[in-house]
Amino acid sequence: MQIYGVLIPKKEQISGYLKEFQQGKGGVLVYLSLVGLLVGGVGVGCIFMLGHGHTINTSSYVPWGLQISTYVFFALVSGGCIFTNFIGNMFFPHHYRSLASRVIFLGLITAIAGFASLASELGHVERMYMFLLSPNPTSPMFWMSVWYSADITILIIEYIHIQRRRHSKGMLYASFVIPVITYCSLGSLFGAVGTMPYYYSSLLPIYFLFSGFLTGNALCAIVAAQQSRRTGNQAAMKPFMRMQKIGLASVFVLTFCRIIVGLSSHQSGYEIFRETFFQNVVFGMLGALVGPFMILMYRRTSAALIFSSVLVLITQFLARLDLVVEGFRVPVFRVYDMPERISYFPSIFEMLVVVFSLSAVALIYIVCEKMGLFEIAETIKGGH
Amino acid sequence: MTIKFSRRTFLKAAGAASAGITAATTVPKKFLSWAEEAGQKDMQLIPTFCELCFWNCGLIAKVENGKVIKIDGNPLSLRGRGRLCGRGNAALGALYDPDRLKFPLINTGTRGAPVWKRASWDEAFGLIANKMKAIKDSYGPEALALIYHGTGAAFWKHLLHAYGVSTFAAPSFAQCRGPRDIGFVLTFGADVGSPEYYDFSKSKYIVLLGSHLGENAHNSQVQDIIKGFSSGAKLTVVDPRLSNIASKAERWLAIKPATDLALLLAWIRIIIEEGWYDKEYVEKYAVGFDELRAAVQEYTPQWAENETSIASDVIVEVAREMGGNSPNVCIGAGRYAVWYGDDTQRSRAIAILNALLGTWGREGGYFFPSGGKVPEYPGLPAYPTHAEGGPKLDDAYPFALLQTTTSIKQATITGQPHPIKGWFVYGSNLMKTMPDKVETIKAIEKLDLLVAIDTMPVDFIKYADIVLPECTYMERYDEISSGKFKGQGEIALRQPTVEPLFESKPSWWMAKELGNKLGLSTYFPWKDGEEYLAKRCEAGGIDFAQLKKSGVIVTPGKPPYISADNQPEFGTPSGKIELYSKQLAEKGFDPVPKYTKHPQPQAGSFRLLFGRAPLHTFSRTTNNFMLTDLQQENSLWINTKKGKELGLKNGDYVMLENQDGVRSPGRILVKLTQRMRGDAVYMNHGFGVHSKAMTRANGQGIADDDLMTDAAIDPIMGGTAMRRNFVKIVKGG
Amino acid sequence: MPSPEDTDILDIMRADLQRALKKPRQQRRWAMAIDLKKCIGCHACTTACMSENLTPPDIHYRPVKEEELGEYPNTGMRFLPRPCMQCDAPSCTQVCPVTATYKRDDGIVVIDYERCIGCRYCLVACPYGARSADVGHYYTGDFHTKTYEVENSGEYGKTSKRTSHWRSPIGNARKCHFCIHRIEKGELTRCSTTCLGSATIFGDINDPQALITKLINKSNVMKYKEELGTKPMVFYLT
Ligand SMILES: Nc1nc2c(c(=O)[nH]1)N[C@H]1C(S)=C(S)[C@@H](COP(=O)(O)OP(=O)(O)OC[C@H]3O[C@@H](n4cnc5c(=O)[nH]c(N)nc54)[C@H](O)[C@@H]3O)O[C@H]1N2
Ligand SMILES: Nc1nc2c(c(=O)[nH]1)N[C@H]1C(S)=C(S)[C@@H](COP(=O)(O)OP(=O)(O)OC[C@H]3O[C@@H](n4cnc5c(=O)[nH]c(N)nc54)[C@H](O)[C@@H]3O)O[C@H]1N2
Ligand code: SF4
Ligand code: SF4
Ligand code: SF4
Ligand code: SF4
Ligand code: SF4
Ligand SMILES: [Mo]
């Protein structure tokens, strides 16, 4: 199998870029994300060296924090990239073709970055092989791991196919269906937890699906906008605007439903929906969803698309953190000096995990882009 | 329990050695069945007893690799019956506290603003010995005093006694149980003991005033009262706050604070007037019934309702319930009794009520205890005798049957009736224990020598000249603890479970070494703590080897109740229960308790009440990491409605300011609760620690003792009443 | 001579325990009854459990909740001790991706400290908040190696030293396990032996003679959050 030029750039492209890099012409973003990767790497290293007790602010009361929400965020972005790939291939193949390999590549590296964040959170990541030795088919997390593995495998295959211009309809559908299952199982990982009113909802899998689509698509939209700037082909960007608006609207509806369902329940624990109502409406709905929508309504430039996409990514990142963490605000069993509401703020090390994951994604993508990995694919002919 | 009423016999009885304790020598099966943990086959089980409070429950340390890794209750212990309370289970938090006192320290700065110099034991003892000699030379040995609380104090008493000192006082008298004990001694000629001789498990009806059992975790007593409930005992609790035990009661009487005596006198009247009292019993054993009857006539239920805010029909019903269940009734005597300044009289009223109902020596009332003491070390030289007839320290308080910290403090300040120039303070955190800090510090400033023997760098330590670090109760041989119970007595041994940490040392060692420096080595003939105890046990016919193995030896006793051939003796002058007390009358006190009104809070202020937290003992556990993990600070309990009116909500922090304008140095967490009356606030005692060296406790919550500027002294026995202070809530801060 | 009602409830339970241990394990059904009428809110069980299992800061297998009922002056109190309910339909075991926590044939829900990956999903799923994550805190800071804190708690009848990587509870989920290490050696759970109110009754509910069986048949029984379908094996007597 051909590795250089398909999986990774050709040898001469690599050495060419490395020369530029040494001369300081590697691109600002590359240096920045390299620094981020190093600093973040030190943070991740500290977590493993010093142990969670000294580095991480989660506790028995807030068992999941920023690392998990970051994982969820990246996992959903990855899923979103695949939907974008599917929709692109199905509905506007002409505009989409030049973006395909970039989108799938992003899907792949965000899935891996998400996993890195997750790994730094596990108490015993070195025991992951237990998933094979003693699997538990009743656990949504087990299925999540199965589908996640399948998902990454499919992504790799699909990526290679695209890179080699060897498209198969079967793969295309598989690369749609498997992620759908994966991200629904991620949704049910949360949604099935009957004890956590903030999670517990049959809406959650669908919500995950759509917010995944929204964020993944936003990331692709940045690439698309970037590309159309470079190529001057404005039309290639248009479908992304439309998709983003659809994403925003559907997430809006689902968020609204989730809040309404939460508000209408009077069981204990559900008060969290009342307490977070203002914040959810003002920031979660108006700021994070209506805002970008308005931008796209009134400005149809690539800059506007980039801006709204970045906004979507940031706000949805925070929305993931909110979803994971707010679930724990009302303690299930409050005793002794425990406050009535549990608060959590990530530690510097947890933030460094985010820096690490983000930098990794940015660095790998930009470097590959700069080395022209995705250009090769465009020039390979035949195979269709 | 027959204690003749004189100070001399009272003291003698308290320290007397009853010979001929015959003990069972077979190891009970229970003791052998403690679980061995996996992979811990070589684990040693060493029994000893707890010192996290003064119940002294038996415990077993599980020791491995030279560390205590777990503890368990000792099933043989009568005080614990295999159980340990919330604090007792936190032994490891006391033993392994990294903040412990580690080396002898000498203060080279000033008292209150110390500059510590680490000293060798020899240096510390040398300095103490020199100062002791100087004081003795100028003022005589009476100018030295020991203030103590805890088992190891016995060795210091011995040392100082041998040196000619005669002043020994524990805060557990004048700051705690004194009025109760005196009230009962004046009435029955005997006190109610510690552990108290309550026969709760057989009671049909129990009344508690204050006494927040469950929060005050008197181990076996809590077990007994719960047992009593299972066999149908009914409970009435009189408390301005719904205490833990009040939540188990049939009736909770949310009394207006400081009015208990009104309620008690009304009950006495009803019980007499409605004829509920045990006529035969009163006739046979009591004197002064007619005087009592005449004296309580004014205390009608309606009058009591006005005073106490308890509905008169409830007062009457409870009196009838008590009467109906007599004599299987126990009206608890309380324990912390220094409330409002007329506390001996309140305790007298409780005693009288019990007497009328015939509960003394009756099933379900107060049992007659069994159990003796282990004799002193044989062949010790006699203590030096003192010139009799000199001015007595406690003359001001004619019925202070034990010496009081109150008098020591006053004599130190005024030099009257004789000067006091040196204090040894063993296991007592005087800054939190004594009310009115300003006065305490004033006294301390007059001293030539202040030695603190402690385990922790508590607030008081910074006033000491020399600090001697004692090892904890888990690391030492100590005085034998003997307990009196129903039909049984117990002898409990404290022995080291591990070597003392740091340079800390046990009291037996410190006393012996300092004794040698003072030329008193003939008083310390033993090689070490073990030999000291072994010899004493031998003298008392107790198998020491067995005691070491089982921790506790239970001795059989005598019948607990009155019967034809078990007639009570009363240690009063009349030899009877004194409903009317001639002795009191002779000294100018009310022979029958009379109600006096105490001030009540003005609008906008609250009476400051305080009590125990189930998971803490005063200030001695405030730095215990296992306990701070559950409760690190105290909170201010305020009636929910009242608190809301003041705009307070749960989780707020406030400051308090008392009637004399003294402000709490820290802030306290607000706890709005339906468990409080609206005219008082409540907090746990022990918190608000200022010592920075107590890293977990420092600055957590606030101290009731910081706000205690008004402390009336009970004129009968010198107790310092501490619930007379009023506070305003200061928001923000 | 002590009368029968003077017999310590612990001795009755110990006899029950011995009977149960004579049977094969799968025929035992361990359960706990907590008599709320007798619980006095002393929190002794909480600290007893802490010392028995050498739990680190912030981890309490058996806290006691204090709940106020009613309004002044008609106030009441309920003390609710909460061990792990050893649910018959546990949500914790259901979600564990690697079966590190599972229900044994004698009814106890255990955690395999050598299999747990520390994902904490079970913490999220337990409706009782009965699980904690051991992240490696020590009470005694730098001093900890000199104290009991690094020693073997013997939990689950295995050696688990916090200083060793593979056999350490650090990184895992932790919870009450009905003191398996004690009961299998013939000693009662530590919370029942220390209970000042004698409110904590432990035994085998497959044994009709056992005190616990008699009590849960005789008294009013409340199961905490029963509506969630977890089928708790801790019975609250009311
Ligand atoms: N956990 C724990 N247990 C302990 C201790 C400890 O520090 N911690 N200390 C031990 C010692 S030495 C002692 S002396 C005992 C003390 O324990 P107790 O003798 O029980 O103390 P009290 O002061 O009777 O109890 C405090 C209760 O009195 C109520 N109270 C306040 N004012 C009044 C009033 O005017 N009238 C009435 N009727 N009630 C009032 C308060 O609301 C509170 O509920 O506890 C012992 N047990
Ligand atoms: N404001 C206020 N004052 C009170 C009370 C109150 O409720 N409020 N309660 C009163 C009552 S009831 C009592 S009994 C007294 C109690 O008064 P104290 O006995 O003085 O009470 P603690 O604050 O526990 O202080 C005990 C001291 O002993 C030390 N210690 C602990 N173990 C050992 C040991 O093994 N050896 C030595 N040498 N020292 C040791 C501790 O570190 C601490 O300094 O306080 C009384 N004073
Ligand atoms: S009552 Fe608790 S603290 Fe007091 S001696 Fe007993 S176990 Fe120790
Ligand atoms: S109480 Fe929680 S941890 Fe225990 S078995 Fe039930 S679900 Fe699992
Ligand atoms: S933390 Fe451990 S026991 Fe809990 S779900 Fe994860 S792997 Fe299972
Ligand atoms: S059974 Fe054992 S582990 Fe469970 S709460 Fe009781 S003492 Fe703790
Ligand atoms: S030890 Fe017993 S009485 Fe005390 S809190 Fe626990 S269950 Fe209740
Ligand atoms: Mo006391």
Coordinates of all heavy atoms in Angstrom, one line a residue, chain B residues 38, chain C residues 53 61 86 100-102 104 108-113 131 153-160 169 173-182 184:
Chain B
A38 N -7.3 -10.1 55.3 CA -6.5 -10.8 54.3 C -5.1 -10.2 54.2 O -4.9 -9.0 54.2 CB -7.1 -10.7 52.9
Chain C
N53 N -11.8 0.8 56.4 CA -11.4 0.7 55.0 C -10.3 1.6 54.5 O -10.0 1.7 53.4 CB -12.6 0.8 54.1 CG -13.6 -0.3 54.4 OD1 -13.3 -1.5 54.2 ND2 -14.8 0.1 54.8
Y61 N -17.8 5.8 52.7 CA -18.7 4.8 52.2 C -20.1 4.9 52.8 O -21.1 4.4 52.3 CB -18.2 3.4 52.5 CG -16.9 3.0 51.8 CD1 -16.3 1.8 52.1 CD2 -16.4 3.8 50.8 CE1 -15.1 1.4 51.4 CE2 -15.2 3.4 50.1 CZ -14.6 2.2 50.5 OH -13.5 1.8 49.8
Q86 N -26.3 -2.2 47.6 CA -26.1 -3.6 47.1 C -27.3 -4.0 46.2 O -27.9 -5.1 46.4 CB -25.8 -4.6 48.2 CG -24.8 -4.2 49.2 CD -23.4 -3.9 48.8 OE1 -23.0 -4.3 47.6 NE2 -22.6 -3.3 49.6
A100 N -15.8 -4.4 35.7 CA -15.0 -4.3 36.9 C -15.8 -4.3 38.1 O -15.4 -4.7 39.2 CB -14.1 -3.1 36.8
T101 N -17.0 -3.9 38.0 CA -17.9 -3.9 39.1 C -19.1 -4.8 38.7 O -19.6 -4.7 37.6 CB -18.4 -2.5 39.6 OG1 -19.3 -2.6 40.7 CG2 -19.1 -1.8 38.5
Y102 N -19.4 -5.7 39.6 CA -20.4 -6.7 39.3 C -21.1 -7.2 40.6 O -20.5 -7.0 41.7 CB -19.8 -7.9 38.5 CG -18.7 -8.6 39.2 CD1 -18.9 -9.7 40.0 CD2 -17.4 -8.1 39.1 CE1 -17.8 -10.3 40.6 CE2 -16.3 -8.7 39.7 CZ -16.5 -9.8 40.5 OH -15.5 -10.4 41.2
R104 N -22.1 -10.1 43.0 CA -21.7 -11.5 43.3 C -22.9 -12.4 43.6 O -24.0 -11.9 43.9 CB -20.8 -11.6 44.6 CG -19.4 -10.9 44.4 CD -18.4 -11.5 45.4 NE -18.9 -11.7 46.7 CZ -18.1 -12.1 47.7 NH1 -16.8 -12.3 47.5 NH2 -18.6 -12.3 48.9
I108 N -23.6 -9.2 47.0 CA -22.7 -8.1 47.2 C -22.2 -7.5 45.9 O -21.7 -8.3 45.0 CB -21.6 -8.4 48.1 CG1 -22.1 -8.8 49.5 CG2 -20.7 -7.1 48.3 CD1 -21.1 -9.1 50.5
V109 N -22.3 -6.2 45.7 CA -21.8 -5.6 44.5 C -20.4 -5.2 44.8 O -20.1 -4.5 45.7 CB -22.6 -4.4 44.1 CG1 -22.0 -3.6 42.9 CG2 -24.1 -4.8 43.8
V110 N -19.4 -5.8 44.0 CA -18.0 -5.6 44.3 C -17.4 -4.8 43.2 O -17.9 -4.6 42.1 CB -17.3 -6.9 44.5 CG1 -17.8 -7.7 45.7 CG2 -17.4 -7.8 43.2
I111 N -16.2 -4.3 43.5 CA -15.4 -3.6 42.5 C -14.0 -4.3 42.5 O -13.4 -4.5 43.5 CB -15.1 -2.1 42.8 CG1 -16.4 -1.4 42.9 CG2 -14.2 -1.5 41.8 CD1 -16.3 0.0 43.5
D112 N -13.6 -4.7 41.3 CA -12.3 -5.4 41.1 C -11.3 -4.3 40.9 O -11.2 -3.7 39.9 CB -12.4 -6.3 40.0 CG -11.1 -7.2 39.8 OD1 -10.1 -6.7 40.4 OD2 -11.2 -8.2 39.2
Y113 N -10.5 -4.1 42.0 CA -9.5 -3.0 41.9 C -8.4 -3.3 40.9 O -7.7 -2.4 40.6 CB -8.8 -2.9 43.3 CG -9.6 -2.1 44.3 CD1 -9.2 -2.1 45.7 CD2 -10.8 -1.5 44.0 CE1 -9.9 -1.4 46.6 CE2 -11.6 -0.9 45.0 CZ -11.1 -0.8 46.3 OH -11.9 -0.2 47.3
R131 N -20.9 5.9 45.3 CA -19.6 5.6 44.8 C -18.7 6.8 44.8 O -19.1 7.9 44.6 CB -19.7 5.0 43.4 CG -20.3 3.6 43.4 CD -20.4 3.1 42.0 NE -20.7 1.7 42.1 CZ -19.9 0.8 41.7 NH1 -18.7 1.1 41.1 NH2 -20.2 -0.5 41.8
S153 N -5.6 -2.2 53.2 CA -6.9 -2.1 53.9 C -7.5 -3.5 53.9 O -8.5 -3.7 54.7 CB -7.8 -1.2 53.1 OG -8.1 -1.7 51.8
G154 N -7.0 -4.4 53.1 CA -7.6 -5.7 53.1 C -9.0 -5.8 52.5 O -9.6 -6.9 52.6
E155 N -9.4 -4.7 51.9 CA -10.8 -4.8 51.3 C -10.9 -5.9 50.3 O -9.9 -6.3 49.6 CB -11.0 -3.4 50.5 CG -11.3 -2.3 51.4 CD -11.5 -1.0 50.6 OE1 -10.4 -0.4 50.2 OE2 -12.6 -0.6 50.4
Y156 N -12.1 -6.5 50.2 CA -12.4 -7.6 49.3 C -11.5 -8.8 49.6 O -11.4 -9.7 48.8 CB -12.2 -7.2 47.9 CG -13.1 -6.1 47.5 CD1 -12.6 -4.8 47.3 CD2 -14.5 -6.2 47.3 CE1 -13.4 -3.7 46.9 CE2 -15.3 -5.2 47.0 CZ -14.8 -3.9 46.8 OH -15.6 -2.9 46.5
G157 N -10.9 -8.8 50.8 CA -10.1 -10.0 51.2 C -8.8 -10.1 50.4 O -8.2 -11.1 50.2
K158 N -8.4 -8.9 49.7 CA -7.2 -9.0 48.9 C -6.2 -7.9 49.5 O -6.6 -7.1 50.3 CB -7.5 -8.6 47.5 CG -8.4 -9.6 46.8 CD -8.6 -9.2 45.4 CE -9.6 -10.1 44.7 NZ -10.0 -9.5 43.4
T159 N -5.0 -8.0 49.0 CA -4.1 -7.0 49.4 C -4.2 -5.8 48.5 O -4.1 -6.0 47.3 CB -2.7 -7.6 49.3 OG1 -2.6 -8.8 50.1 CG2 -1.7 -6.6 49.9
S160 N -4.5 -4.7 49.1 CA -4.5 -3.5 48.3 C -3.8 -2.4 49.0 O -4.3 -1.8 49.9 CB -5.9 -3.1 47.9 OG -6.7 -3.0 49.0
P169 N -5.9 0.9 45.4 CA -7.3 1.4 45.1 C -7.2 2.7 44.3 O -8.2 3.2 43.8 CB -7.9 1.5 46.5 CG -6.8 1.5 47.5 CD -5.6 0.9 46.8
A173 N -12.8 3.3 41.2 CA -14.0 3.6 42.0 C -14.0 2.9 43.3 O -13.4 1.8 43.4 CB -15.3 3.3 41.2
R174 N -14.6 3.5 44.3 CA -14.6 2.8 45.6 C -16.0 2.9 46.2 O -16.7 3.9 46.0 CB -13.6 3.3 46.6 CG -12.2 3.1 46.1 CD -11.2 3.6 47.1 NE -11.1 2.8 48.3 CZ -10.2 3.0 49.2 NH1 -9.2 3.9 49.1 NH2 -10.2 2.2 50.3
K175 N -16.4 2.0 47.1 CA -17.7 2.1 47.7 C -17.8 1.0 48.8 O -16.9 0.2 48.9 CB -18.8 1.8 46.7 CG -18.9 0.4 46.2 CD -20.1 0.2 45.5 CE -20.3 -1.3 45.2 NZ -20.7 -2.1 46.3
C176 N -18.8 1.1 49.6 CA -19.1 0.1 50.6 C -19.3 -1.3 50.0 O -19.9 -1.4 48.9 CB -20.4 0.5 51.3 SG -21.3 -0.9 52.1
H177 N -18.7 -2.3 50.6 CA -18.8 -3.6 50.1 C -19.3 -4.6 51.1 O -18.9 -5.8 51.1 CB -17.4 -4.0 49.6 CG -16.3 -3.5 50.5 ND1 -16.2 -3.7 51.8 CD2 -15.3 -2.6 50.2 CE1 -15.2 -3.0 52.3 NE2 -14.6 -2.3 51.4
F178 N -20.1 -4.1 52.1 CA -20.6 -4.9 53.2 C -19.4 -5.6 53.9 O -19.6 -6.7 54.4 CB -21.6 -5.9 52.7 CG -23.0 -5.4 52.6 CD1 -23.3 -4.1 52.9 CD2 -24.1 -6.3 52.3 CE1 -24.6 -3.6 52.9 CE2 -25.4 -5.8 52.3 CZ -25.7 -4.5 52.5
C179 N -18.3 -5.0 53.9 CA -17.1 -5.5 54.7 C -16.9 -7.0 54.4 O -16.7 -7.8 55.3 CB -17.3 -5.3 56.2 SG -17.1 -3.6 56.7
I180 N -16.9 -7.3 53.1 CA -16.6 -8.7 52.7 C -15.5 -9.3 53.5 O -15.5 -10.5 54.0 CB -16.3 -8.8 51.2 CG1 -17.6 -8.5 50.4 CG2 -15.8 -10.2 50.8 CD1 -17.4 -8.5 48.9
H181 N -14.4 -8.5 53.6 CA -13.2 -9.0 54.3 C -13.4 -9.4 55.7 O -12.7 -10.2 56.3 CB -12.0 -8.0 54.2 CG -12.3 -6.7 54.8 ND1 -13.3 -5.8 54.3 CD2 -11.9 -6.2 56.0 CE1 -13.3 -4.8 55.1 NE2 -12.5 -4.9 56.1
R182 N -14.4 -8.8 56.3 CA -14.8 -9.2 57.7 C -15.8 -10.3 57.8 O -15.6 -11.3 58.5 CB -15.3 -7.9 58.5 CG -14.3 -6.9 58.8 CD -14.9 -5.6 59.3 NE -15.6 -5.8 60.6 CZ -15.1 -5.5 61.8 NH1 -13.9 -5.0 61.9 NH2 -15.8 -5.7 62.9
E184 N -16.5 -12.6 55.8 CA -16.1 -13.9 55.4 C -15.1 -14.5 56.4 O -14.9 -15.7 56.4 CB -15.4 -13.9 54.0 CG -16.5 -13.4 53.0 CD -16.3 -13.9 51.6 OE1 -15.2 -14.1 51.2 OE2 -17.4 -14.2 51.0

